[in-house]
Amino acid sequence: KKAGEYERITRQFRTMFIEVASESQVTYVDLFQEPEEDVFLKEPKKYLAIDGLHPSREGYAYWYKTLKPVAAEKLAQ
């Protein structure tokens, strides 16, 4: 039940962040994945720290791979 509540809240905030970013000069990098595609859910021991909440080194590396091309594009402008 808690996981469903967190997902609902995450979706609400994500929608707000996307909307605010589209109305401003802020770049939003979307790290959200649908549960059936989410590597953090598929391989939590690999992508989550021992506390089960924060990303592990591999989790941060995965996010970095998503962020890097967006940051490179913005920095090149």
Side-chain angles (χ1 to χ4, degrees):
K1 187 173 181 177
K2 279 266 193 212
E5 181 68 8
Y6 290 137
E7 183 181 334
R8 184 186 67 75
I9 293 168
T10 298
R11 287 180 186 277
Q12 288 176 336
F13 275 103
R14 178 178 177 247
T15 299
M16 288 188 286
F17 292 145
I18 291 169
E19 184 179 322
V20 168
S22 72
E23 296 171 352
S24 66
Q25 294 183 357
V26 172
T27 300
Y28 174 72
V29 180
D30 193 2
L31 298 175
F32 179 81
Q33 295 180 334
E34 292 298 334
E36 59 274 1
E37 300 169 3
D38 190 342
V39 297
F40 289 83
L41 291 176
K42 288 181 177 181
E43 297 183 70
K45 289 185 179 191
K46 178 177 181 179
Y47 291 105
L48 292 176
I50 197 165
D51 66 7
L53 177 65
H54 296 92
S56 65
R57 180 171 60 199
E58 289 84 0
Y60 280 116
Y62 184 84
W63 280 355
Y64 176 76
K65 289 177 188 173
T66 303
L67 173 65
K68 185 178 179 181
V70 177
E73 179 183 331
K74 290 297 177 179
L75 291 171
Q77 294 178 351

